[in-house]
């Protein structure tokens, strides 16, 4: 059960079927464009959507809003130093700002960044630096519960290649959001460390979900079963040279990010750029009160009872969705449950967006919002004008905001999803009528296929 009780509540809307139909059509059949006031359960993302604790709300009142050298920064920096062991701590307003600044200073034109999987904003920052992002996911590790691992043999081959000198950093995304939120094992991080040492390149963690990764190591690797998630997180950070994070996830707050490093000279270059684009190095685009809420959140997030509840909720939710007839990607991680829409609705071809069709059907059935991770997000337009080049998989992500929804909210999602699965043969696809050149899923306008 939830290891907390509820002190402040917020009503949720229950739009009628006709309102849902009108909202979806006005939004061009794109759930990103649907206003939150017509959504009953919002599982679009676990980012920036956490419920803060009473201790975090009271920490806000202690925020020191001094422009430079605020007490809030000292508290934040001490918590991050204790957790990571890195001396240099730089706050930023969210994860992608950290990526843009740090990767811009590590990479350059012609360079290569190698990773288990670069999250899409990470890839965008690598490419903005004129560099290339190479993803090397180890396909066979999912059986061991570590589907987020990097393929160390492929990474070694890349580094040994005559062009290997172009590789300037290795990035491990923990947990691996783009690969089903699966964790990265400590043995994979150790292997990455050895490769980085052999080739003189830094190992960096995208630590946005570091606590969930650490918990899943304690739950899945018998060698760490007696360790606390905090001890495992410290072991993960100890193996790397630095990290960045979106603190909108395991920071347990609604905004924030960080860069933390051992290398003082690199940190100074990042700070110089931070002043240009984010703010003075002791606040980095955040208010003092945000830094206090984050310091408290980073302390709470490694509590074993909280993490156990988080992982067990995802596991239970995945099992219930499976019983309801949905093809669920197993094993579940912590931050989301993924459903395979192509398997559920083989009658909808990829260019008619089966994952979008499922997500929209779920919205119409019960005002539930989930995100599509299929051809709308990862597919590409065919330069020859034919149907879109499909994504590798047509997944739908049911993300779990931290401490926001109770088990009965999720039961409602399961019941609604069961009704969609039962009637899935009648669900029809979509076609794109308007789309920008990049990141089309945020703004694209769609039409139901039956309207042709
Ligand atoms: N890295 C990872 C692994 C992420 O999941 C995200 C964001 C970022 C970096 C970027 O951080 O949003 O604070 O700028 N993921 C969100 C999601 C958007 O829904 O998964 P940001």
């Amino acid at each position: 059960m939830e290891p907390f009780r509820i002190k402040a509540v917020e009503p949720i809307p229950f739009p009628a079927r006709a309102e849902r139909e009108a909202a979806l059509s006005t939004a061009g059949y794109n759930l990103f464009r649907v206003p939150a006031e017509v959504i009953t359960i919002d599982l679009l993302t676990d980012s920036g959507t956490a419920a803060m604790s009473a201790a975090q709300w009271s920490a806000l009142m202690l925020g020191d809003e001094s422009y430079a050298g605020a007490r809030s920064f000292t508290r934040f920096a001490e918590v991050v130093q204790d957790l990571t062991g890195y001396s240099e701590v730089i706050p930023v307003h969210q994860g992608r700002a950290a990526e843009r600044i740090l990767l811009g200073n590590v990479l350059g034109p012609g360079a290569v960044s190698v990773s288990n999987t670069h999250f899409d904003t990470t890839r965008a920052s690598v490419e903005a630096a004129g560099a290339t992002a190479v993803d090397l996911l180890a396909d066979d590790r999912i059986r061991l519960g570590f589907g987020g691992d990097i393929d160390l043999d492929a990474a070694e081959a890349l580094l040994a290649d005559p062009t290997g000198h172009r590789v300037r950093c290795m990035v491990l995304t923990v947990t691996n959001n783009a690969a089903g939120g699966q964790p990265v094992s400590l043995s994979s991080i150790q292997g990455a460390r050895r490769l980085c040492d052999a080739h003189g390149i830094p190992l960096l963690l995208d630590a946005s979900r570091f606590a969930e990764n650490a918990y899943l190591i304690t739950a899945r690797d018998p060698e760490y079963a007696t360790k606390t998630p905090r001890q495992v997180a410290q072991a993960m950070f100890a193996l790397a040279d630095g990290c960045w994070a979106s603190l909108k996830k395991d920071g347990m707050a609604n905004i924030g990010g960080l860069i933390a490093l051992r290398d003082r000279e690199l940190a100074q270059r990042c700070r110089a750029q931070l002043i240009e684009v984010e703010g003075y190095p002791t606040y980095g685009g955040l208010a003092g009160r945000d830094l206090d809420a984050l310091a408290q959140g980073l302390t709470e997030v490694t509590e074993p009872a909280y993490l156990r509840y988080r992982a067990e909720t995802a596991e239970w939710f995945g099992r219930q969705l499976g019983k309801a007839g949905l093809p669920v990607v197993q094993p579940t991680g912590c931050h989301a449950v993924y459903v395979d829409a192509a398997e559920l609705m083989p009658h909808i071809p990829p260019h008619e967006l089966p994952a979008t069709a499922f997500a929209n059907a779920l919205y119409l059935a019960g005002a539930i919002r989930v995100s599509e991770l299929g051809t709308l997000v990862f597919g590409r337009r065919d330069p020859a004008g034919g149907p879109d080049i499909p994504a590798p998989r047509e997944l739908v992500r049911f993300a779990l905001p931290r401490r926001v929804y109770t088990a009965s909210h999720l039961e409602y999602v399961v019941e609604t999803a069961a009704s969609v699965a039962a009637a899935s043969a009648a669900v029809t696809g979509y076609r794109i009528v308007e789309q920008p050149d990049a990141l089309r899923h945020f703004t694209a306008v769609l039409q139901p296929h039956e309207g042709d």
Side-chain angles (χ1 to χ4, degrees):
M1 64 183 173
E2 291 81 2
F4 49 81
R5 57 183 176 172
I6 296 163
K7 183 174 281 187
V9 298
E10 189 183 5
I12 53 177
F14 293 96
R17 173 94 198 182
E19 284 176 80
R20 308 196 293 264
E21 283 170 3
L24 193 61
S25 143
T26 309
Y29 299 92
N30 180 343
L31 288 169
F32 271 103
R33 298 162 60 117
V34 172
E37 65 191 13
V38 283
I39 290 167
T40 303
I41 304 285
D42 201 346
L43 307 185
L44 185 68
T45 178
D46 66 319
S47 181
T49 51
M52 292 206 296
S53 65
Q56 283 179 290
W57 282 107
S58 40
L60 287 180
M61 276 312 285
L62 300 175
D64 173 357
E65 305 304 343
S66 305
Y67 189 92
R71 195 175 52 240
S72 300
F73 172 72
T74 311
R75 182 169 177 225
F76 174 77
E78 282 171 1
V79 166
V80 175
Q81 282 160 348
D82 182 62
L83 176 70
T84 63
Y86 305 144
S87 55
E88 309 301 312
V89 178
I90 303 172
V92 293
H93 83 278
Q94 67 179 83
R96 63 199 74 183
E99 291 165 347
R100 192 52 68 106
I101 292 171
L102 179 57
L103 294 170
N105 279 285
V106 169
L107 302 168
V112 171
S113 168
V114 60
S115 176
N116 53 346
T117 316
H118 296 86
F119 182 67
D120 53 14
T121 56
T122 318
R123 173 173 287 274
S125 286
V126 170
E127 290 171 2
T132 306
V134 177
D135 291 342
L136 298 174
L137 185 67
D139 301 325
D140 55 332
R141 302 275 302 167
I142 185 106
R143 332 172 253 113
L144 304 170
F146 291 103
D149 280 356
I150 188 166
D151 182 337
L152 290 168
D153 294 337
E156 189 164 16
L158 181 73
L159 285 159
D161 188 81
T163 60
H165 63 277
R166 290 170 47 203
V167 180
R168 299 274 179 76
C169 67
M170 193 177 289
V171 172
L172 293 179
T173 308
V174 295
T175 56
N176 195 338
N177 186 13
Q182 295 298 319
V184 178
S185 64
L186 260 177
S187 63
S188 187
I189 307 178
Q190 284 156 350
R193 175 75 267 164
R194 280 192 292 274
L195 282 180
C196 288
D197 282 343
H199 294 271
I201 57 169
L203 176 61
L204 301 171
L205 301 182
D206 174 345
S208 302
R209 297 180 181 84
F210 74 94
E212 295 178 355
N213 199 88
Y215 176 80
L216 291 170
I217 290 175
T218 66
R220 294 183 186 176
D221 186 340
E223 206 182 322
Y224 299 96
T226 58
K227 300 278 185 231
T228 64
R230 194 172 178 83
Q231 286 169 329
V232 173
Q234 285 167 330
M236 286 160 43
F237 288 117
L239 285 163
D241 297 292
C243 72
W244 75 82
S246 164
L247 296 178
K248 299 172 72 172
K249 285 83 170 169
D250 276 350
M252 303 281 254
N254 307 114
I255 196 73
L258 66 77
I259 299 170
L261 300 166
R262 296 185 205 284
D263 182 339
R264 199 174 138 68
E265 187 272 323
L266 175 60
Q268 287 300 56
R269 281 191 281 136
C270 291
R271 287 191 184 100
Q273 200 184 341
L274 185 86
I275 294 174
E276 283 171 28
V277 296
E278 290 277 287
Y280 190 73
T282 59
Y283 73 85
L286 294 167
R289 58 180 170 271
D290 297 325
L291 292 169
D292 275 290
L294 286 166
Q296 179 62 29
L298 286 170
T299 309
E300 290 174 12
V301 74
T302 52
E303 279 169 15
Y306 159 73
L307 285 167
R308 182 174 157 207
Y309 139 78
R310 180 109 176 117
E312 289 182 358
T313 300
E315 198 181 320
W316 169 84
F317 185 40
R319 210 166 42 238
Q320 298 304 312
L321 287 171
K323 282 189 199 156
L326 292 129
V328 173
V329 179
Q330 292 287 357
T332 48
C334 283
H335 82 290
V337 171
Y338 294 73
V339 165
D340 189 330
E343 196 178 324
L344 181 68
M345 300 182 301
H347 61 283
I348 306 181
H351 68 274
E352 290 179 19
L353 311 174
T356 298
F358 176 84
N360 286 356
L362 191 64
Y363 176 73
L364 289 174
I368 295 160
R369 175 156 69 175
V370 293
S371 55
E372 108 98 68
L373 292 175
T375 292
L376 186 59
V377 175
F378 296 117
R380 278 177 297 120
R381 266 192 267 190
D382 176 12
D388 274 1
I389 301 161
R393 295 184 80 177
E394 299 294 340
L395 297 183
V396 175
R397 182 179 79 168
F398 293 63
L400 296 167
R402 289 167 183 75
R403 304 189 292 211
V404 170
Y405 294 117
T406 64
S408 57
H409 290 121
L410 297 182
E411 272 170 12
Y412 167 76
V413 176
V414 171
E415 283 165 24
T416 312
S419 72
V420 174
S424 60
V427 173
T428 52
Y430 285 83
R431 65 188 176 86
I432 305 174
V433 291
E434 256 179 66
Q435 58 180 314
D437 288 335
L439 296 173
R440 63 184 186 173
H441 54 288
F442 291 123
T443 55
V445 175
L446 315 176
Q447 255 314 305
H449 217 269
E450 61 200 348
D452 279 3

